[in-house]
Amino acid sequence: MTISTNKSKTLFHLQTDHTSYIIQELENGELGQVYYGPKIHQKESYDNLMTREIHDATPSLSEGMQDFQPELIKQEYASFGKGDYRYPAFPIEQPNGSRITEFKLQNFAIKEGKSRLKDLPSTFDDTNDDAQTLVLNLKDQITDLNLDLNYTVFPHQDVIVRSSTFINSTAADYKINTAYSSQLDLPDANYDLIQFSGNWARERHLYRSPLRPGLQSVSSLRAASSHQQNPFIMLARPETDEQSGAAFGFNLVYSGNFKDSVEVDQFDASRVMVGINPDEFAWNLQSGTSFQTPEAIMSFTEDGMNQLSQQMGAFYTDHLVAPKFAKQERPILINNWEATYFDFDEKKLMSIVNKAHALGVEMFVLDDGWFGKRNDDTTSLGDWFVDKDKFPDGLGHFSQQVHDLGMKFGLWFEPEMISCKSKLHEDHPDWMVGDPNAQLIPSRHQFVLDMAKPEVVDYLYEKISQIMSDTKLDYIKWDMNRNITDTFSRYLKPEQQAEFAHRYMLGVYRLYDQLTKAFPEVLFESCASGGGRFDLGMMYYAPQAWTSDDTDAVERIKIQYGTSYGYPLSMMGAHVSAVPNDQNGRITSLKTRGAVAFFGDLGYELDITKISEEELKQTKEQIDFYKQYRNLFQFGKFYRIDSPFEEDGNITSWEVVSDDKSLAIVGRYQLLNHPSVAYQRQYFVGLDPNKQYTVNDSSETFYGDELMNAGYFVKMAQVDGNYSSDFHSDLLIAKEI
Ligand code: GLA
């Protein structure tokens, strides 16, 4: 039994293969949290875990219930105004202005499986993988509003998915001021908060800090999950490392404003909340309507952060990503952005296509600049018709030539945007986000379309689907190159303005939903100036994302390493680009650029008509190599070994291992080469201790335990062709014999 109750139906025990999550109805009818952690035995009750002592200077629920002090009780989904001074999960404003509610358990249902949400990206259980769903139905004693707390247990990946549904079947109208997706009250605060933060071209760097009293949070108010903060966080015990120790992972299936907060209270309990950012959010819960929060993901392991990443990643592959693509090998692509920027025509592109084809590249992606009059970034967003100067015979003709070579064809769009210099703006100046009475705020010379307005979504669907059909498109790179600051919708009513950021996302999701349903064969890649919307909401529709605009191999080590905590390699677009690198001018060898980009969905993003014969040869070898091991690189078990975020950080290593442990590839990267260094060894992880392996087809064989515990000797870096001995890389391939 994955979800069970006790005889009196007051206790709900959710069990995965290795974890337990327990909820209990309290004596006032509200819900308390009993436990979340390693799996424990099923019992009728856990009285000891619910023991109370009376504390001074904090309120009791009533005179008759002196020891019922809400602030000392681990709450399942905390209301406002009932004696718990910590931050609430959901204040609801009533017609008289009060926000005090008393939601009590009414009934519950346990169902097999997990269905998708209607208007939001969500997890699912199409394969009947033993998922079970519990719905706890609560009713407010004051307003008669209903609240469903939804839990789905995915036993084999040790994941629990939570969301809330507010249902107004009353005659009155209400306003939700905050609606978190999940809450977890942990009994102590001896954890490190691990977050993934950065900015454009420096996404998802790891920051680890001990919890401290008070509120700490990561969040976004950009109407996108953002480069700056990612919704994925972990709480790990101070001693937890990659290979051992307890860690919780939290994520949100959402791409807009979010907030993950941890509040350490006066009794050293930690309240974790994950959901839509309550700032810049309110929702009118009118009579007869309901509001569904996005889904939050929770996972726990005792076996270290690699295990946590692996189980969460496996969960997304099985229960979040479009099943058609989830385990399908992703094509090796060439993208013309860094090769040509806006300066191209059909002839120039065809010379890249032909050369790429000869190297074994499988898809050509035409990036920005093929539409309207877009010869730079000041114009034409919204004008989704082909530029006849660049493609005199139309885009269909160009894509036909790509297809004729047996290659796939991909195309860049930035659907949510509008340039002032565009036909779309001439026709619909009022479709832009922003207050027309105020000065509008440009970013990269562009403005945002009001995706909360259904007509805008319909227009985009029509334009984009037309081009997809005309070009028989195989792949879309859906970009989003600016965030929203002047939050105002001319379409929405004054009282709906605080709904805008969420309604914007619902519009984006509707467009994604319609396009992916109409073109189920097309692979979508999401992008937001690189990794500015690298989140699970996007991954539901677009199984992979452009990880970062920074294609420098050295920078990418940190970006990909950080990203790997929350997202599997198949989600990460990773390209080899030219040197000196366009973002930072660094020169690294083609070997190192390849060795970093292999760990993801490989692509090339440089003008291959301009590289030397020697480099062409090497590129072909890289492509052949990647094809041989592609399944392992995209879908193997990924282990982080040596972290670039450690103080020295000179060596990074990571590894992919096949499920049967017969094959493993370590990527090892050294930033600077130092003289007279000690002998260096690479320690493998995740091998079978009893299996025998060769390394890089060596004549000597090694037991797995030897490679993991004694390590493998790594030669000192040497000058690499024309490149220096800095930024050196090694790939170590262990094969079972
Ligand atoms: C963003 C993307 C790039 C490229 C450009 C085009 O920056 O991240 O990969 O597509 O837009 O304008």
Side-chain angles (χ1 to χ4, degrees):
M1 261 305 235
T2 306
I3 300 174
S4 41
T5 59
N6 62 356
K7 282 202 200 82
S8 55
K9 313 274 185 233
T10 51
L11 187 106
F12 303 90
H13 191 150
L14 284 54
Q15 283 187 327
T16 68
D17 290 351
H18 306 101
T19 68
S20 283
Y21 183 100
I22 306 172
I23 307 159
Q24 183 172 337
E25 184 183 355
L26 302 170
E27 50 274 45
N28 68 341
E30 297 188 10
L31 291 174
Q33 225 168 51
V34 181
Y35 173 76
Y36 185 31
K39 192 170 185 166
I40 58 177
H41 279 92
Q42 187 87 17
K43 284 200 332 191
E44 267 301 288
S45 64
Y46 296 86
D47 295 341
N48 181 260
L49 285 175
M50 303 305 276
T51 309
R52 295 191 199 127
E53 286 174 334
I54 299 176
H55 284 55
D56 292 340
T58 187
S60 300
L61 194 64
S62 66
E63 283 302 329
M65 297 169 85
Q66 282 300 322
D67 72 344
F68 193 110
Q69 294 179 302
E71 223 190 343
L72 281 146
I73 289 178
K74 288 160 59 235
Q75 316 265 350
E76 188 57 26
Y77 197 60
S79 59
F80 173 76
K82 296 295 296 178
D84 183 352
Y85 291 106
R86 292 169 292 184
Y87 279 77
F90 67 100
I92 302 179
E93 200 174 310
Q94 300 155 34
N96 69 356
S98 166
R99 283 154 294 135
I100 299 167
T101 51
E102 290 172 6
F103 277 91
K104 299 196 174 176
L105 183 65
Q106 283 283 108
N107 47 50
F108 68 92
I110 297 174
K111 307 175 204 168
E112 294 307 315
K114 161 74 170 72
S115 41
R116 288 169 162 80
L117 296 180
K118 199 165 120 311
D119 301 319
L120 284 165
S122 66
T123 59
F124 49 79
D125 184 31
D126 293 357
T127 52
N128 295 327
D129 191 19
D130 301 340
Q132 268 192 345
T133 298
L134 167 71
V135 182
L136 298 174
N137 177 245
L138 282 61
K139 194 176 195 75
D140 182 23
Q141 309 303 301
I142 300 169
T143 61
D144 274 352
L145 288 170
N146 287 97
L147 168 59
D148 283 351
L149 300 183
N150 313 299
Y151 304 80
T152 301
V153 180
F154 292 90
H156 310 311
Q157 295 88 8
D158 292 317
V159 163
I160 295 173
V161 172
R162 270 189 78 169
S163 74
S164 305
T165 319
F166 296 85
I167 305 154
N168 181 2
S169 317
T170 76
D173 295 338
Y174 296 89
K175 190 156 129 202
I176 304 172
N177 286 327
T178 295
Y180 276 106
S181 299
S182 74
Q183 172 183 335
L184 180 65
D185 281 4
L186 292 167
D188 69 79
N190 187 27
Y191 290 100
D192 289 346
L193 170 63
I194 302 173
Q195 66 185 79
F196 300 91
S197 305
N199 61 19
W200 172 76
R202 191 168 54 76
E203 294 90 339
R204 290 172 297 286
H205 280 211
L206 176 145
Y207 294 85
R208 179 171 185 158
S209 42
L211 290 182
R212 54 178 169 73
L215 198 62
Q216 41 243 286
S217 65
V218 295
S219 62
S220 167
L221 274 181
R222 296 165 172 266
S225 48
S226 86
H227 297 90
Q228 287 70 17
Q229 308 286 0
N230 193 273
F232 175 65
I233 58 164
M234 293 188 287
L235 285 186
R237 292 296 191 192
E239 65 277 11
T240 297
D241 59 21
E242 295 295 354
Q243 295 295 82
S244 68
F248 292 94
F250 304 91
N251 210 336
L252 186 65
V253 188
Y254 193 60
S255 316
N257 291 340
F258 76 93
K259 186 166 190 172
D260 301 340
S261 66
V262 187
E263 180 182 7
V264 176
D265 72 12
Q266 57 178 331
F267 304 113
D268 276 348
S270 307
R271 171 168 291 177
V272 186
M273 304 263 228
V274 173
I276 293 178
N277 194 331
D279 291 323
E280 279 307 310
F281 171 82
W283 196 269
N284 296 291
L285 190 66
Q286 280 167 335
S287 167
T289 66
S290 62
F291 179 78
Q292 170 66 47
T293 71
E295 289 181 346
I297 315 279
M298 305 189 289
S299 192
F300 172 80
T301 182
E302 287 184 287
D303 298 325
M305 293 184 286
N306 273 327
Q307 173 60 34
L308 187 69
S309 302
Q310 287 167 6
Q311 69 195 36
M312 294 184 89
F315 171 71
Y316 306 141
T317 306
D318 291 345
H319 299 290
L320 179 91
V321 172
K324 174 171 175 17
F325 294 105
K327 289 182 180 154
Q328 193 185 93
E329 291 187 0
R330 310 291 163 73
I332 301 173
L333 63 85
I334 186 149
N335 175 305
N336 73 305
W337 177 242
E338 287 196 28
T340 64
Y341 294 106
F342 295 104
D343 181 19
F344 59 80
D345 57 19
E346 187 170 317
K347 198 161 151 254
K348 190 169 184 180
L349 295 181
M350 274 318 293
S351 60
I352 295 178
V353 172
N354 284 318
K355 204 138 221 181
H357 175 246
L359 297 177
V361 171
E362 298 157 327
M363 176 161 75
F364 176 74
V365 179
L366 173 53
D367 211 278
D368 195 355
W370 56 268
F371 51 91
K373 296 263 162 277
R374 188 143 164 108
N375 296 316
D376 58 38
D377 61 9
T378 63
T379 168
S380 299
L381 291 170
D383 292 351
W384 301 112
F385 42 85
V386 67
D387 180 350
K388 286 284 175 89
D389 290 340
K390 290 177 180 159
F391 299 95
D393 302 316
L395 207 52
H397 174 257
F398 176 66
S399 85
Q400 185 61 47
Q401 294 177 73
V402 177
H403 283 140
D404 284 348
L405 289 168
M407 286 172 75
K408 293 178 188 292
F409 180 58
L411 196 59
W412 181 95
F413 283 93
E414 198 179 357
E416 300 152 67
M417 298 293 150
I418 180 167
S419 306
C420 276
K421 274 196 263 167
S422 69
K423 168 103 181 35
L424 184 65
H425 187 256
E426 277 168 31
D427 296 346
H428 299 288
D430 57 323
W431 281 12
M432 271 157 68
V433 169
D435 176 358
N437 300 318
Q439 194 199 321
L440 297 175
I441 307 294
S443 180
R444 205 198 188 199
H445 317 285
Q446 66 195 55
F447 299 88
V448 187
L449 284 171
D450 187 350
M451 299 295 284
K453 185 180 170 87
E455 215 183 324
V456 171
V457 175
D458 294 342
Y459 165 86
L460 291 169
Y461 176 75
E462 192 198 310
K463 290 287 169 215
I464 296 171
S465 58
Q466 185 65 52
I467 290 164
M468 291 174 80
S469 303
D470 291 351
T471 56
K472 302 198 173 51
L473 205 61
D474 301 297
Y475 165 104
I476 282 194
K477 177 177 172 187
W478 177 323
D479 210 340
M480 195 265 311
N481 276 314
R482 65 156 294 177
N483 295 145
I484 300 173
T485 162
D486 34 356
T487 303
F488 181 82
S489 164
R490 287 182 239 187
Y491 168 74
L492 295 176
K493 298 190 195 99
E495 65 275 17
Q496 289 179 306
Q497 290 300 328
E499 297 177 4
F500 169 74
H502 184 58
R503 285 189 181 274
Y504 177 90
M505 278 324 308
L506 293 177
V508 172
Y509 290 146
R510 178 159 77 85
L511 185 57
Y512 256 117
D513 193 53
Q514 289 181 354
L515 288 170
T516 49
K517 283 194 175 129
F519 299 91
E521 304 294 318
V522 174
L523 173 63
F524 282 66
E525 175 172 279
S526 78
C527 174
S529 290
R533 218 162 46 181
F534 204 107
D535 60 62
L536 299 179
M538 286 291 123
M539 298 301 175
Y540 175 77
Y541 304 102
Q544 60 189 63
W546 182 221
T547 312
S548 176
D549 272 350
D550 196 333
T551 54
D552 168 59
V554 172
E555 298 289 314
R556 270 296 182 120
I557 291 171
K558 278 192 171 167
I559 295 169
Q560 293 175 205
Y561 199 98
T563 304
S564 78
Y565 283 89
Y567 306 90
L569 296 194
S570 59
M571 289 183 176
M572 293 186 218
H575 297 179
V576 172
S577 65
V579 289
N581 178 268
D582 270 6
Q583 288 76 38
N584 63 9
R586 184 176 285 125
I587 295 178
T588 55
S589 67
L590 184 53
K591 175 173 165 240
T592 291
R593 281 174 274 154
V596 174
F598 290 154
F599 290 82
D601 301 320
L602 178 68
Y604 286 81
E605 185 150 347
L606 72 174
D607 190 347
I608 47 168
T609 64
K610 292 198 179 127
I611 63 175
S612 68
E613 280 305 316
E614 173 51 34
E615 293 205 312
L616 275 179
K617 190 171 151 265
Q618 223 182 316
T619 305
K620 170 123 187 39
E621 284 163 10
Q622 288 185 343
I623 290 169
D624 291 344
F625 173 79
Y626 186 77
K627 282 181 183 167
Q628 189 183 348
Y629 296 110
R630 168 169 27 201
N631 204 276
L632 185 64
F633 280 127
Q634 296 181 351
F635 302 106
K637 242 186 202 152
F638 183 73
Y639 290 89
R640 292 170 296 270
I641 306 175
D642 293 299
S643 172
F645 297 105
E646 292 295 313
E647 208 168 317
D648 173 41
N650 200 40
I651 302 281
T652 297
S653 68
W654 55 39
E655 182 188 16
V656 279
V657 183
S658 64
D659 282 343
D660 64 1
K661 304 184 180 197
S662 64
L663 183 65
I665 304 181
V666 166
R668 179 186 164 94
Y669 313 93
Q670 174 176 285
L671 299 187
L672 299 183
N673 197 20
H674 301 298
S676 302
V677 286
Y679 286 141
Q680 303 210 40
R681 297 191 166 272
Q682 177 64 44
Y683 296 91
F684 283 72
V685 294
L687 300 180
D688 182 334
N690 301 314
K691 281 190 166 146
Q692 278 187 287
Y693 300 87
T694 57
V695 176
N696 291 352
D697 298 323
S698 53
S699 52
E700 187 181 354
T701 58
F702 310 87
Y703 279 102
D705 54 9
E706 181 186 348
L707 289 175
M708 293 192 288
N709 298 312
Y712 179 79
F713 175 76
V714 186
K715 286 199 196 85
M716 260 188 319
Q718 305 292 335
V719 175
D720 183 3
N722 294 326
Y723 300 99
S724 88
S725 54
D726 291 339
F727 317 128
H728 177 79
S729 64
D730 287 297
L731 291 178
L732 304 176
I733 306 169
K735 284 184 201 156
E736 184 187 358
I737 52 167

